Amino acid sequence: MTTRSGTERLDGVIVATALPYAEDPEAPAGLRPDLDKFAEHCRWVVENGCRGVGPNGSLGEYSSLTDAERREVARTAIAAVKDKGIAVIGVHGVGAHQARHWAELAAEDGADGVLCLPPTMYRANRGEVVHHFREVAKAGLPIMVYNNPIDTKVDLTPDLLAELGQIENVVAVKEFSGDVRRVLEIRAAAPHLTVVAGADDVVLESLLMGATGWFAGYPNVFPAESVQLFTLAQEGRLDEARALYEKLVPAFRWDSRTEFVQAIKRSMDYVGRYGGPCRPPRGPLSAEQLAQVDADMKLATS
């Protein structure tokens, strides 16, 4: 889906793809990315109606990958969905030069766009945030800026997004503050930006307020159902959307919790997909957490 100028809007349901690992004593933490399983998974979510994939995000454990692995994962996703869906690559970096580097590699490898946090591991000020995205924009790909004030301690407020939206190639914002009031505020301050729901457990509320994208975790588990929910909301079929959402949202709430990667992978295992282990620093779920994920998944699949 593109604007009149032909720039990709980065809307629709894009899956923040989880990354499967295979045991390998020679790999970091004894786990290597299983690129064959990952390619199959990328194809599967697109075949089930999702618009595209988003590797190398937080759910993709990008910060636990070596540089070589990170690029291999991006290339695998791009190749897997080529001509069938879009690939929006996570290019998060501590500094602008690092994020720009990853964006340039994504462009070289054929990505359709990039997802980018403000500087990670550093509480950047307004000028530094603007500089960061100006540098990433030089790679030439459409950019979805990512507002995650919980993890970055930097809040991309509507007025700051209006400024970022003046940067060429900044076309969308993944909104993960959890405050659904932001959707209308962003639309008013920066009407040319695509507003993308970033937290699964407020997705219906966000879509009803005018978000036109969903960069999502639980479509790794429920791609077809997630697309159905998105479509019902877009078409204003609220009763049907709410009935579906009420079954799914207890599981979706894990997307906003500290252990979201482990929980989503466990949920994949629950439905017969391969989730598998995580690399450190993410450890296993507790027995209580495992029981709660399974209970939430039982409701979702009932």
Side-chain angles (χ1 to χ4, degrees):
M1 302 174 192
T2 58
T3 63
R4 291 179 185 175
S5 64
T7 303
E8 171 59 56
R9 289 187 56 86
L10 305 182
D11 51 10
V13 180
I14 302 172
V15 185
T17 42
L19 182 64
Y21 291 105
E23 292 186 5
D24 183 343
E26 302 300 317
L31 298 168
R32 63 169 172 80
D34 190 325
L35 298 179
D36 289 338
K37 275 191 173 70
F38 182 61
E40 188 275 332
H41 183 63
C42 289
R43 289 191 292 268
W44 180 73
V45 296
V46 170
E47 288 166 359
N48 275 272
C50 296
R51 183 157 186 253
V53 295
N56 289 343
S58 302
L59 182 55
E61 300 178 69
Y62 79 93
S63 59
S64 300
L65 301 178
T66 68
D67 285 359
E69 289 172 337
R70 188 169 169 177
R71 191 173 191 189
E72 287 174 346
V73 167
R75 285 174 159 172
T76 298
I78 292 165
V81 302
K82 187 176 178 61
D83 301 325
K84 299 184 181 73
I86 63 172
V88 182
I89 311 302
V91 297
H92 320 303
V94 177
H97 59 296
Q98 292 149 318
R100 177 179 172 179
H101 167 72
W102 288 113
E104 288 171 343
L105 292 182
E108 184 179 320
D109 291 337
D112 299 284
V114 298
L115 175 72
C116 189
L117 284 164
T120 59
M121 299 176 64
Y122 173 71
R123 191 171 184 171
N125 64 33
R126 187 182 185 106
E128 292 162 343
V129 169
V130 173
H131 171 73
H132 190 82
F133 287 106
R134 282 181 176 155
E135 287 299 300
V136 174
K138 290 176 181 177
L141 286 175
I143 299 169
M144 181 187 298
V145 302
Y146 184 2
N147 184 37
N148 187 342
I150 300 165
D151 290 333
T152 66
K153 311 304 180 188
V154 177
D155 191 0
L156 304 182
T157 56
D159 70 296
L160 178 50
L161 288 169
E163 183 174 355
L164 295 176
Q166 299 305 310
I167 300 171
E168 186 177 6
N169 295 321
V170 172
V171 301
V173 54
K174 177 180 177 180
E175 170 49 37
F176 195 82
S177 71
D179 184 353
V180 295
R181 293 173 295 188
R182 287 289 182 90
V183 177
L184 289 176
E185 291 171 354
I186 295 167
R187 290 180 61 202
H192 55 293
L193 288 183
T194 296
V195 181
V196 177
D200 291 358
D201 56 340
V202 290
V203 63
L204 181 56
E205 296 88 334
S206 299
L207 292 171
L208 293 176
M209 290 300 100
T212 56
W214 179 16
F215 205 107
Y218 260 89
N220 282 285
V221 184
F222 301 115
E225 295 87 344
S226 297
V227 171
Q228 181 185 8
L229 177 64
F230 181 85
T231 302
L232 290 171
Q234 292 281 287
E235 294 177 354
R237 297 159 63 185
L238 181 55
D239 289 344
E240 295 168 83
R242 188 168 55 198
L244 177 57
Y245 189 50
E246 287 177 355
K247 284 181 55 177
L248 296 173
V249 78
F252 282 8
R253 291 191 184 109
W254 286 98
D255 186 53
S256 294
R257 295 174 180 159
T258 302
E259 300 83 7
F260 72 105
V261 180
Q262 299 97 312
I264 289 173
K265 284 189 166 185
R266 171 70 174 192
S267 299
M268 293 168 68
D269 291 332
Y270 187 96
V271 296
R273 301 295 299 168
Y274 179 81
C278 300
R279 268 187 183 166
R282 293 179 174 88
L285 296 172
S286 68
E288 293 79 11
Q289 288 170 329
L290 286 169
Q292 188 60 58
V293 172
D294 289 355
D296 294 337
M297 286 298 298
K298 183 177 180 180
L299 174 63
T301 56
S302 63

